[in-house]
Amino acid sequence: MSSLLRLATAGSVDDGKSTLVGRLLYDTKSVLADQLDAVTRASVDRGLSTPDLSLLVDGLRSEREQGITIDVAYRYFATPRRSFVLADTPGHVQYTRNTVTGASTAQLAVLLVDARKGVVEQTRRHAAVLALLGVPRLVLAVNKIDLVDYDEAVFAVIANEFATHATSLGYAEGDVLSIPVSALQGDNVAVKSERTPWYAGPTLLEHLEEVPVAPDPHDAAFRFPVQYVIRPRTAEYPDYRGYAGQIAAGSVRPGDEVVVLPHGLRSRVAAIDTADGRLAEAGSGTSVTLLLEDDLDISRGDLIAIADRAPRVTDELTAALCWLSNKPLAAGARVLVKHGARTVQALVDEIGSRFDEQTLTTVDSPETLALNDIGTVSLRLAEELPVDDYADSPRTGAFLVIDPKDGDTLAAGLIGERFA
Amino acid sequence: MTTLEPATDAAQDNLAALESEAIHIFREVAGEFDRPVILFSGGKDSTLLLHLAIKAFWPAPVPFPLLHVDTGHNFDEVIAFRDEVVRKHGLRLIVAHVQDWIDDGRLAERPDGTRNPLQTQPLLDTIAEHRFDAVFGGGRRDEERARAKERIFSLRNAFGQWEPRRQRPELWNLYNGRHRPGEQVRVFPLSNWTEADVWHYINREGVELPSIYFAHQRKVYERDGMLLTEGPWGGPRPGEDVRELSVRYRTVGDGSCTGAIESTASTVDEVIAEVLASRLTERGATRADDRLSEAAMEDRKREGYF
């Protein structure tokens, strides 16, 4: 079992996400006395009789003023069984981009709905975003179950509707779980509720502790974006030339035949260096320095890949974009694409389709993509890039779309024809 | 702030992942920026930051200078440690003395005597003078609620200000370092570390720290529930009794607002055990500047602080 679970929350506004996260921190004893004192004081100032747990997490002045969460925040908590990094994301429509931010690295997402309202547009939108990003598992927390008198029938309707929706997005039945909770009262968050005797499943925390984390596929092909060339030119290391980076997929051993892209030069791995010594093998996620047998001209932005399963090299991309900016996208736009350690100029040839998260259908050839839209585009690149499909290799199938004028991040890009 | 557990095999995997992530961030900045600098005070987080930078570029030297904004209210042991680290690794240290800004009238001493809030202007002026475009800080998201909202690459405008509503989304491990002339990016490689991770990693790597992190005898007086020590920042005031106690520091900052805690923990293992049992966060226990208002940290970040 993995020691660390990265998870994200999502849901529409006022469904109680901050209270749920505050409850998780509180019930796992991750809140220390001075933090609780501060929250208790602030709650009394607001005329409340019990501590408002959402104040534990809503850290910004305007968030507390408005009682809403504005920006994604990262929380850390642990139980004896597992450590958790939680990306707590806001529910407001104008902040859906933060759901994308939180979910891009998540292994599981907790979607909240208000038991009185059930599955709403924002729930469908978020589930679609999570599916697109390939978040492996979903939990639907049906919150405020106390406000519908712990009614089993209400829960069953919502759970069924969500399961159908998730299945239509490509989730298997075993990857989705619905749990009736009351974040305010603590029902089924860390402690099993006696008020939902009809619910036989785990509490939210039990599920988070037990859920298997999908391991990196063992057979993934080796991918290594070169971040930085290490050339000490010191008396001790006069001729050292190492290629530093973080392994994006697969693993590597000395002797492996590799190809350097986009040029296509071939060599073998001579050694895998770290400050702590040489390694016999290194796997995905590890930051290392590779030494090659041949003296090649390699620089930041190149990709070192296993020679017999190299990615394709192309100057044309078809990709899904999650549009994260207030500035809409139209065909003909000039943008920057950051892929791995390389940033290239690109031209948006065509917007092929826009995904309608409400009807789960696509609209062909829309005029623009606006904030929170997901669409398929064709891009023409000024230089060739070595790329994989996002579905095969997320780290080498993902890119950022950047505005060349002001440097803003405009979109998350996922290579492939997922929604085409 | 998570509950501290003894470092298991699983926790060691977690530390390895955090180390890899921090090294990746250092190399991204080296690859994308022209003039980065590491903020270095000699405290445990910045010492850890430097340790990770050294590992990121080994066997080449760290390709950035260090910058210390010196309030003049320092612990002697920390300044001695700072200078020794710089000498040992052959680094370049730039010091911005807050006193210089007070002397020529750009800053005024505060009535309460604390100089911590006075660091912002010297920091921004020094960044501008050296045209630094990326500034590494040791901030962690677990420290404080406003910090929990901070990105790893945090774009600041020409005034060094943080605008939480206008932060860029941060996706996968693709960091966007684009900025316009005059803007800078603050970079936080320790974002995902907790206080527990920091101490476990210090233990694993044998990182040396200033001696005041460990128990020692010190003359202290109590003010606002904190144990302050004598120094150029003033104190004790009449009625504040000086006692000699066995103490150590959980954080190291400006002496006017950094309190000691009573402790007999003299080794890293003992410190870990003590932090594990504590019912207070490190800032809650020993930092007066965060108590000024409900949003003290956020307000300082908006002004250009870290």
Side-chain angles (χ1 to χ4, degrees):
Chain A
M1 173 173 291
S2 167
S3 64
L4 180 73
L5 183 75
R6 288 179 182 267
L7 69 152
T9 60
S12 58
V13 70
D14 283 336
D15 54 17
K17 270 193 315 298
S18 295
T19 308
L20 181 74
V21 173
R23 171 63 66 182
L24 271 174
L25 297 177
Y26 182 75
D27 284 354
T28 54
K29 302 193 170 39
S30 304
V31 180
L32 297 184
D34 54 314
Q35 294 171 314
L36 196 61
D37 283 351
V39 165
T40 306
R41 267 201 312 277
S43 302
V44 169
D45 289 347
R46 285 165 174 72
L48 304 171
S49 56
T50 53
D52 177 356
L53 294 178
S54 73
L55 295 174
L56 281 172
V57 295
D58 284 342
L60 301 174
R61 197 178 269 286
S62 45
E63 290 178 326
R64 288 193 298 273
E65 282 162 7
Q66 297 175 41
I68 58 164
T69 307
I70 288 170
D71 202 350
V72 63
Y74 293 86
R75 313 287 169 197
Y76 307 84
F77 64 99
T79 68
R81 303 184 61 182
R82 200 172 244 182
S83 295
F84 302 91
V85 177
L86 184 152
D88 183 16
T89 71
H92 264 257
V93 171
Q94 67 264 42
Y95 302 119
T96 295
R97 60 178 167 207
N98 292 321
T99 302
V100 177
T101 300
S104 71
T105 52
Q107 297 154 318
L108 176 145
V110 179
L111 266 159
L112 265 86
V113 294
D114 183 326
R116 296 169 302 177
K117 298 177 189 158
V119 173
V120 296
E121 180 192 344
Q122 193 70 335
T123 319
R124 293 167 166 276
R125 183 198 295 275
H126 282 158
V129 169
L130 298 168
L132 177 71
L133 289 168
V135 176
R137 288 168 193 279
L138 301 183
V139 173
L140 186 74
V142 181
N143 192 26
K144 306 190 185 182
I145 197 76
D146 51 320
L147 299 184
V148 295
D149 295 327
Y150 300 94
D151 187 336
E152 178 179 10
V154 171
F155 173 76
V157 167
I158 296 169
N160 281 332
E161 185 182 352
F162 185 71
T164 306
H165 181 61
T167 308
S168 72
L169 292 169
Y171 282 97
E173 211 174 288
D175 296 337
V176 179
L177 176 70
S178 292
I179 306 175
V181 304
S182 166
L184 196 64
Q185 310 286 337
D187 294 290
N188 293 328
V189 178
V191 182
K192 197 156 179 58
S193 174
E194 290 172 4
R195 292 176 284 204
T196 54
W198 42 265
Y199 173 71
T203 65
L204 176 60
L205 188 61
E206 279 170 354
H207 183 62
L208 297 180
E209 285 182 313
E210 288 164 10
V211 69
V213 173
D216 214 41
H218 284 298
D219 57 349
F222 175 66
R223 300 285 186 262
F224 187 79
V226 175
Q227 275 188 286
Y228 193 76
V229 181
I230 295 189
R231 295 211 62 187
R233 301 175 204 267
T234 55
E236 199 180 347
Y237 297 96
D239 301 319
Y240 190 99
R241 181 201 282 263
Y243 306 105
Q246 188 174 30
I247 299 174
S251 59
V252 67
R253 289 166 163 276
D256 283 353
E257 189 180 8
V258 293
V259 58
V260 183
L261 299 167
H263 337 292
L265 306 168
R266 283 177 179 243
S267 185
R268 282 183 190 278
V269 175
I272 308 165
D273 262 353
T274 71
D276 297 313
R278 297 213 152 160
L279 303 178
E281 184 175 12
S284 176
T286 321
S287 285
V288 296
T289 301
L290 295 185
L291 279 68
L292 300 185
E293 287 182 359
D294 304 283
D295 215 3
L296 304 177
D297 180 19
I298 300 174
S299 54
R300 174 173 167 85
D302 292 342
L303 182 97
I304 300 176
I306 195 79
D308 60 1
R309 289 170 69 198
R312 65 182 185 277
V313 175
T314 178
D315 60 4
E316 288 180 354
L317 292 182
T318 300
L321 298 186
C322 300
W323 198 254
L324 308 172
S325 166
N326 294 316
K327 298 170 267 189
L329 174 76
R334 289 182 181 279
V335 296
L336 296 172
V337 163
K338 180 167 187 183
H339 174 264
R342 183 177 290 244
T343 304
V344 302
Q345 295 187 46
L347 180 70
V348 180
D349 257 349
E350 184 186 13
I351 305 176
S353 62
R354 182 168 57 78
F355 175 69
D356 186 325
E357 68 280 338
Q358 188 56 22
T359 58
L360 301 182
T361 56
T362 53
V363 180
D364 287 335
S365 304
E367 290 281 303
T368 59
L369 288 184
L371 178 64
N372 298 323
D373 279 346
I374 297 168
T376 309
V377 300
S378 324
L379 294 163
R380 205 144 29 98
L381 308 176
E383 299 165 56
E384 292 190 314
L385 287 179
V387 301
D388 293 293
D389 279 357
Y390 184 82
D392 299 330
S393 176
R395 285 285 189 263
T396 47
F399 61 92
L400 301 183
V401 178
I402 295 172
D403 187 334
K405 293 190 291 295
D406 57 17
D408 282 352
T409 299
L410 298 173
L414 302 93
I415 297 166
E417 311 227 357
R418 185 94 178 241
F419 281 105
Chain B
M1 184 61 223
T2 52
T3 313
L4 283 164
E5 298 295 331
T8 58
D9 287 352
Q12 292 293 352
D13 288 350
N14 189 19
L15 292 180
L18 290 171
E19 180 192 70
S20 262
E21 180 182 72
I23 287 173
H24 174 74
I25 292 161
F26 271 112
R27 291 165 171 177
E28 276 301 284
V29 171
E32 295 243 312
F33 290 83
D34 294 324
R35 300 176 66 83
V37 67
I38 301 176
L39 272 197
F40 184 73
S41 65
K44 72 177 187 311
D45 296 317
S46 60
T47 300
L48 184 55
L49 206 57
L50 180 60
H51 180 84
L52 289 159
I54 290 167
K55 290 185 96 165
F57 300 103
W58 178 93
V62 175
F64 325 118
L66 307 181
L67 168 61
H68 182 208
V69 180
D70 182 345
T71 63
H73 289 176
N74 296 295
F75 296 89
D76 294 342
E77 298 91 333
V78 178
I79 295 299
F81 174 83
R82 178 196 77 184
D83 293 342
E84 172 58 19
V85 167
V86 167
R87 191 197 59 73
K88 191 164 85 184
H89 297 291
L91 299 159
R92 189 160 73 89
L93 174 70
I94 298 158
V95 181
H97 295 277
V98 171
Q99 189 65 50
D100 294 344
W101 271 256
I102 294 173
D103 288 347
D104 66 15
R106 282 176 289 174
L107 283 176
E109 198 89 71
R110 290 161 52 99
D112 63 5
T114 180
R115 286 185 173 179
N116 222 27
L118 301 186
Q119 291 178 85
T120 300
Q121 196 58 47
L123 170 67
L124 296 176
D125 290 348
T126 309
I127 288 171
E129 182 197 338
H130 292 267
R131 289 180 289 116
F132 292 128
D133 52 3
V135 186
F136 289 101
R140 308 191 319 266
R141 289 174 179 147
D142 83 319
E143 283 177 87
E144 209 274 340
R145 286 180 300 186
R147 288 234 209 245
K149 305 263 169 179
E150 184 62 272
R151 300 286 193 263
I152 290 172
F153 273 39
S154 178
L155 183 69
R156 304 295 175 99
N157 66 18
F159 300 93
Q161 292 169 316
W162 184 61
E163 177 44 73
R165 281 171 191 264
R166 293 197 52 223
Q167 298 194 87
R168 289 173 177 163
E170 211 152 73
L171 300 143
W172 300 290
N173 61 349
L174 295 170
Y175 301 106
N176 177 359
R178 294 258 152 185
H179 59 284
R180 288 177 286 192
E183 292 178 336
Q184 357 132 6
V185 176
R186 306 284 176 91
V187 184
F188 301 101
L190 303 183
S191 285
N192 286 322
W193 298 56
T194 64
E195 186 185 15
D197 297 324
V198 166
W199 278 107
H200 283 312
Y201 188 75
I202 284 166
N203 200 22
R204 185 183 96 169
E205 300 279 304
V207 178
E208 286 184 40
L209 292 180
S211 58
I212 65 169
Y213 279 105
F214 304 98
H216 56 288
Q217 293 292 314
R218 185 180 285 268
K219 286 181 179 163
V220 292
Y221 57 93
E222 195 171 328
R223 180 183 297 170
D224 300 333
M226 288 197 317
L227 297 176
L228 298 180
T229 188
E230 295 173 281
W233 45 86
R237 295 174 189 153
E240 291 174 335
D241 293 336
V242 175
R243 288 175 292 163
E244 184 165 314
L245 296 174
S246 175
V247 298
R248 71 173 199 88
Y249 287 83
R250 263 174 95 173
T251 68
V252 167
D254 186 68
S256 65
C257 60
T258 303
I261 56 166
E262 282 199 73
S263 171
T264 55
S266 58
T267 65
V268 175
D269 280 330
E270 286 169 5
V271 168
I272 289 175
E274 183 184 276
V275 174
L276 192 152
S278 173
R279 293 299 302 142
L280 294 176
T281 64
E282 70 181 84
R283 288 197 159 261
T286 60
R287 291 296 273 269
D289 46 330
D290 290 336
R291 299 182 185 176
L292 295 175
S293 85
E294 221 182 288
M297 171 75 86
E298 177 186 354
D299 293 346
R300 278 183 289 143
K301 285 164 74 79
R302 284 176 181 272
E303 289 166 10
Y305 187 74
F306 268 78

